[in-house]
Amino acid sequence: MAARRQPPEIKRRIPRQSRAAETVVAILEGAAQILEAGGLAAFTTNAVAERAGVSIGTLYQYFTDKNALLLALARREMEVALADVGRALRGESDPSLEGRVRAMVRTIIHAFRGRQRARKAVVQAILAQGLGIELMAPVASFIAAAGAEVGSGAHPILPALSREQLFVMSRATLGAIRAAVLEEQPFLRSRAFEDEIVRLAVAYLGAITAAADPGRNRTTV
């Protein structure tokens, strides 16, 4: 009896040309719109393809399944957020420590361009797939690199954070925001919530600075 032939492996295309890149953008935008309109319950590859105006075969050329779509959407939004976080940490709008932290927190809270339902669906999917660490690592690394740049010089704005301090700082702030997203807290985008996250981050950074240089803020007689 002849051996059963194995189906050929389908290699996912990497969008190198401008048209291919535009197709991927359209697919991811369609995915975000479907998630915002109906959440994970309405999120299927067929629905995304229809919303994006492409065939299902075209969608599968770039994404193996809807989980790959969710991860790609999360990565896209993270890249946009990191660029904004970088500008915040450099103090382009407000050079003070609180100003930099506030700008960073505001950027993270307002990620996904205000699409709260889409953001919740992506966060849920990422956590279910155990990919939270994969996406958190570049965020932490970016904040560490940007913080080191800002913290250099004779009078640094931000203290240099150890690996442990960076872990606590990123998880405390991002964890609180993530919880508010998943719980659909009505205050998520309020100034009061932003104030509390900023208070937490600034107090923690201030404590690190004071511990590293006890005499820096000591009043002289």
Side-chain angles (χ1 to χ4, degrees):
M1 184 174 64
R4 180 180 299 177
R5 295 181 61 185
Q6 296 294 326
E9 180 182 357
I10 300 176
K11 295 183 178 180
R12 305 299 158 191
R13 293 175 59 186
I14 300 175
R16 300 184 187 278
Q17 300 178 351
S18 59
R19 177 176 294 182
E22 290 172 1
T23 299
V24 169
V25 169
I27 292 172
L28 291 178
E29 178 60 23
Q33 291 179 12
I34 292 295
L35 287 170
E36 184 64 19
L40 286 174
F43 189 70
T44 66
T45 51
N46 283 316
V48 171
E50 182 178 355
R51 180 63 64 93
V54 301
S55 68
I56 189 67
T58 297
L59 185 148
Y60 281 131
Q61 287 179 348
Y62 299 100
F63 303 100
T64 55
D65 52 28
K66 64 181 184 180
N67 288 331
L69 262 173
L70 287 167
L71 184 56
L73 185 59
R75 283 173 172 157
R76 184 187 74 165
E77 298 301 328
M78 182 183 71
E79 290 173 0
V80 174
L82 286 181
D84 292 338
V85 166
R87 286 189 287 271
L89 288 176
R90 287 191 295 271
E92 294 183 7
S93 59
D94 185 341
S96 69
L97 173 59
E98 181 175 340
R100 294 171 197 258
V101 171
R102 183 175 297 280
M104 179 182 69
V105 169
R106 185 171 296 168
T107 292
I108 296 171
I109 289 177
H110 292 269
F112 273 78
R113 302 169 183 84
R115 289 170 169 164
Q116 187 169 342
R117 195 171 187 181
R119 176 169 51 183
K120 178 184 177 181
V122 169
V123 171
Q124 286 176 319
I126 294 303
L127 293 177
Q129 296 176 55
L131 298 173
I133 295 177
E134 178 182 341
L135 288 177
M136 183 72 77
V139 175
S141 297
F142 181 88
I143 293 175
E149 179 182 348
V150 174
S152 61
H155 301 288
I157 297 296
L158 294 176
L161 301 182
S162 68
R163 180 179 58 184
E164 295 79 8
Q165 290 166 343
L166 180 62
F167 180 92
V168 172
M169 172 74 176
S170 61
R171 267 53 171 192
T173 53
L174 296 179
I177 295 171
R178 181 180 65 183
V181 170
L182 293 177
E183 296 171 18
E184 297 185 1
Q185 293 290 350
F187 53 70
L188 172 63
R189 301 178 68 187
S190 70
R191 178 59 182 255
F193 180 62
E194 176 185 303
D195 287 344
E196 293 310 312
I197 299 294
V198 171
R199 188 198 308 272
L200 182 152
V202 170
Y204 184 65
L205 292 172
I208 292 173
T209 301
D213 186 4
R216 180 176 181 179
N217 296 320
R218 185 178 299 166
T219 303
T220 59
V221 179

